[in-house]
Amino acid sequence: MAGPPSLGELETAVMEHLWQAGPGDVKAVHRVLGARRHITLNTVQSTMERLYRKGLLDREKVSHAYVYWPRQSREQFGARVVEQVIEQVLGGDTEPVLSAFVDLAARAGDDSLERLERLVAARRRQRERRR
Amino acid sequence: MNGALGLFQLALLAAVTFALGAALLSAVFYPIWARRTRQRDPIRRARALLGWAAAPAITSFVLVLLCLLPSVLGAVGLADDHCTLHDDHHVHLCFVHLPATAGTLSGWLVIAITAGWCLLAIARQVVALLRAHQLARALRSVSTRGPEGAALVPSRERLSLTVGVFRPEVFVSSSLATDLAPDLFAVVVAHERAHVRRRDAARKLAATLFAHAHLPRTRIRILQDLALACEQACDEEAARRVGDRLQVAEAILRVERMLTASQGLGFAASSFGDSNVSERVGSLLAEPEPAPRARGARLLMGLLVLGAIALADPIHHVTETILGHLVK
C-alpha cells in the first residue's frame, strides 16, 4: 500500500512559501528561504525539481527560467495526506504506533450509542439536581 | 569450542521449552484473569497487560538463568559441584562440565526456526515504525498550530491521532476543532497528550513484539485488551485534567456520533459493533478505584524472587531431565 506523500523539511518550506506567496521561480524562492537557511541556489533548484517530479508542483518556462506553482491547494493536499493516512490505519499497517481518539476501524451501533448518550445525560441531570 | 556451542544449544532449547510452557499456561489462565480484572483501574491493568504480553519471554529468560545458577555457584566455589550427582550420560547444563559435542542437528534446526520467527516479528515492527515515521512526516508537512497547542491538519474527516514511538506527536483535523465545542475539544487534546506522556506507542510496540511468543488467540486478546486499557487510562488522565469524567464521556460519544454520521470514515470502518466506546464510557461512569498500596506488591515480588532462587536446584535438575529426552 503506497504511503502518503512524504516531504522533507526544505520541501515543506518550499510548498509553504508557494502556497502563501503564489507562483515563483527558483531565484525568488531562494531569496526568501535560502538566506534564512544558508543554502545555495542549487539546493533550492534540486528541491523544486524533486517536488515537480513527485507531482506536487507544476511549472512553465518563462523567459529562461521555470516558474513553479503548487498543483493542489494546501487544503487539497492536506485532505489527500489524511485520506492516505486513514487508508493505512484501516489497513492495519500502523498498529501499534498510532492511536486515535475514537477507533477508526470499528463503529458502535446506533442503539448502543443512543443507550450510552441517555445514560450520560441522566447522570448529568442527576448531578445538576444535587447542586 | 564444541562444548561451549553444545551448552549454548542446551540453554536455547531450554529457553524455547520454557517459553512454550509459559505460552500454554497463559492460554489457560489469561482469560480467567482478564474476566476478573476487566472493570479494574485501567492504569494498573495496562501495566499488568504488558507483563502478560512479555510473560513467556521473561519466564523463559529467568528460568534459564536459574537453571545455570547452580553451575555458576559451583564454578566460583560457592556451592558443591552438582554434576557428580549424575552419570556421564546425563545432559549437563553446566559451565564446568561442558557437553562433549556442539549439539544435535535437530536442536540447531529448532533454534534456527525460532530465531527466524523472532527476526520476522522484529522486521514487522520495524516496518510499522518506518510507516509511522512517514505518516507523521506527511501530517507535519500540512499541519499548522491550532488551539490547545495541537497540530491542526486541514481535513473534513474528524480525526484525532497520536503518531510515533520515540517522539509521539498529536494531530487533530481542522473540522474536529471547528465542529466540536471548545470544552469537548479540550478533552480530545488532553486524551491524546496523555498517550504522549504515557508513551503508549512504545508500550504497545514492546507488547506486540514480546507477545509473538504467545499462542495466536492469546496474543490477539492480550493486545486488544492492552489497546483498550491504554485508551481508558488516557480517558482517566483527560478526566483529571478537565476535572469532569462526564465531560470526557460526552466527548467520546460526540466524536463517535460524528464519525458514524460522516460520509467518509463512517463508511470506511471495517466493523460495526466492535467499537470500544461502550467500555470506555462505562468505565468513566463508574466510580474511580482508590490508588493501590505499592508495599504489598513489592513484598510479593521480593518473596517470588527468593522463592525462585531457592528452587534453582530442582529447576536445574528437571530441565536437564527434559533436555535429555529432547536431544536424544
Side-chain angles (χ1 to χ4, degrees), chain A residues 99 101-102 105-108 123, chain B residues 162 244 256 270-271 273 280 285:
Chain A
S99 308
F101 181 67
V102 165
R107 299 273 63 79
R123 190 65 68 86
Chain B
T162 305
D244 186 352
E256 177 68 19
S270 56
S271 68
R280 287 171 67 187
L285 293 178

Side-chain angles (χ1 to χ4, degrees), chain A residues 1-9 11-12 16 19 54 74-75 77-79 81-82 84-86 88-90 93-110 112-117 119-121 123-124 127 131, chain B residues 125 128 131-132 134-135 137-139 141-142 144 153-155 157 159-165 188 191-192 195 201 204-205 208 231 244 246-247 250-253 255-257 259-260 265 268-275 277-278 280-281 285:
Chain A
M1 188 185 293
S6 177
L7 299 184
E9 208 210 317
E11 288 172 338
T12 305
E16 274 293 343
W19 275 321
K54 282 185 184 178
R74 203 172 198 292
E75 289 68 32
F77 181 69
V81 165
V82 168
Q84 289 175 326
V85 165
I86 292 169
Q88 289 219 349
V89 169
L90 292 180
D93 286 348
T94 50
E95 274 292 334
V97 297
L98 182 148
S99 308
F101 181 67
V102 165
D103 193 345
L104 297 180
R107 299 273 63 79
D110 263 340
S112 176
L113 257 188
E114 276 170 21
R115 179 183 60 85
L116 291 167
E117 283 164 344
L119 264 173
V120 170
R123 190 65 68 86
R124 181 64 80 191
R127 193 194 276 180
R131 281 198 187 145
Chain B
Q125 298 320 308
R131 285 220 168 96
Q134 192 190 25
L135 286 186
R137 208 159 108 143
L139 289 168
S141 69
V142 297
T144 52
V153 177
S155 171
E157 298 294 352
L159 278 191
S160 169
L161 304 169
T162 305
V163 184
V165 174
V188 170
H191 173 100
E192 298 301 341
H195 278 304
K204 288 194 287 181
L205 187 70
T208 305
E231 293 304 325
D244 186 352
L246 279 185
Q247 193 175 323
E250 283 160 353
I252 293 169
L253 290 171
V255 175
E256 177 68 19
R257 205 29 110 182
L259 288 179
T260 305
L265 267 182
S270 56
S271 68
F272 283 78
D274 285 350
S275 153
V277 162
S278 187
R280 287 171 67 187
V281 170
L285 293 178

Side-chain angles (χ1 to χ4, degrees), chain B residues 29-50 52 221-222 225-226 228-230 232 279 283 286 289:
Chain B
F29 289 108
Y30 176 75
I32 300 168
W33 179 88
R35 244 192 329 272
R36 285 190 177 175
T37 57
R38 202 148 183 87
Q39 311 296 332
R40 293 268 177 91
D41 169 47
I43 295 168
R44 283 161 65 198
R45 222 166 73 236
R47 247 182 253 138
L49 281 161
L50 185 57
W52 272 104
R221 265 204 77 169
I222 289 173
D225 290 348
L226 176 62
L228 173 62
C230 287
Q232 287 172 317
E279 276 120 327
S283 177
E289 271 186 21

